[in-house]
Amino acid sequence: MQILKYPHPILRHKCKPIKKIDQELRDVIAEMIETMYAGDGVGLAANQVGLPLQIFVLNTSGDKNKPEEEYVFINPVITKKFGGFTESEEGCLSFPEIHAVVERPAEVVLQGAALDGSLQQFRWKGLAARAVQHEFDHLQGKAFIDRLLPVRRLEIRGDLEALEREFETNRQLGVIPSDHQIAVTLAEWEQKWCTP
Ligand code: ZN
């Protein structure tokens, strides 16, 4: 799996709910977890690796030797937000080298299915609350840059433009498929796991 970078269009794709969890999907999720660790991330959403599916993986310790802190959420929903707002710096594997301060609710309740299909629900605070909101946003086609104050967005504009130029170059080289080809691939994945 390859982590796709801004402004790849799949980062703007609204991921579809999973209708069936089978062994092939579990293998895909295991690979997502490996990819998260390989990228030194604490979370990874499915569309960051090209999958239009409502799945994210998380380990806020960032340490693959702490599997007890590893979570998989399928079809996640944020059911409550509370504790006011807090500000902290965020980064994202799809925006390499870019960091910015984002304001978010301090605590959330997030529920979703686990790998075995059972419903799990947790109340999150601190870094974990921030991480689950960041990953949940990805599945809605949103990125952390959408939540920046205009002045902070201005500060990273040059870095974003550099990524946009890199993307254009890769597209001209054929490294990144056309929008049409991407849409065809996404429809295949959705057909496989998002239809009953
Ligand atoms: Zn991210």
Side-chain angles (χ1 to χ4, degrees):
M1 278 179 184
Q2 195 195 347
I3 295 171
L4 303 173
K5 290 190 275 184
Y6 171 87
H8 195 290
I10 194 163
L11 297 172
R12 293 302 180 195
H13 188 83
K14 216 169 176 305
C15 293
K16 299 283 184 300
I18 298 287
K19 291 281 201 282
K20 55 177 177 256
I21 302 172
D22 56 14
Q23 188 53 45
E24 194 182 351
L25 187 68
R26 283 191 277 269
D27 292 344
V28 164
I29 292 170
E31 206 179 327
M32 278 178 65
I33 293 171
E34 285 307 309
T35 307
M36 170 180 76
Y37 290 132
D40 286 327
V42 297
L44 185 72
N47 49 343
Q48 290 183 276
V49 288
L51 308 170
L53 311 173
Q54 282 190 16
I55 303 167
F56 73 74
V57 298
L58 187 79
N59 184 336
T60 52
S61 75
D63 184 348
K64 67 187 301 179
N65 297 314
K66 290 186 179 166
E68 69 277 10
E69 293 189 39
E70 205 173 86
Y71 293 90
V72 173
F73 280 98
I74 299 168
N75 302 342
V77 185
I78 290 175
T79 55
K80 271 185 202 156
K81 301 178 181 183
F82 41 97
F85 286 82
T86 64
E87 286 194 330
S88 192
E89 197 172 72
E90 288 184 28
C92 178
L93 293 174
S94 295
F95 296 77
E97 315 288 319
I98 299 179
H99 295 89
V101 172
V102 185
E103 187 184 77
R104 294 191 187 269
E107 294 184 39
V108 295
V109 172
L110 181 128
Q111 64 178 37
L115 272 178
D116 63 0
S118 64
L119 187 71
Q120 47 182 356
Q121 175 171 294
F122 299 101
R123 180 171 170 162
W124 304 88
K125 58 184 181 180
L127 168 67
R130 182 164 292 279
V132 298
Q133 292 176 78
H134 178 116
E135 302 311 331
F136 179 80
D137 273 357
H138 272 303
L139 301 181
Q140 321 309 313
K142 286 195 189 132
F144 78 111
I145 58 165
D146 304 335
R147 296 198 178 274
L148 301 183
L149 293 173
V151 61
R152 290 180 180 148
R153 174 127 188 179
L154 213 55
E155 285 167 6
I156 60 164
R157 195 173 68 180
D159 296 323
L160 292 176
E161 284 170 356
L163 286 176
E164 287 162 15
R165 284 193 297 273
E166 185 186 315
F167 178 85
E168 274 316 310
T169 303
N170 282 331
R171 204 157 224 185
Q172 278 157 19
L173 293 171
V175 177
I176 293 169
S178 69
D179 282 348
H180 174 70
Q181 285 168 307
I182 291 171
V184 168
T185 307
L186 296 189
E188 284 169 7
W189 287 106
E190 288 169 0
Q191 175 68 27
K192 199 162 186 170
W193 281 303
C194 305
T195 54

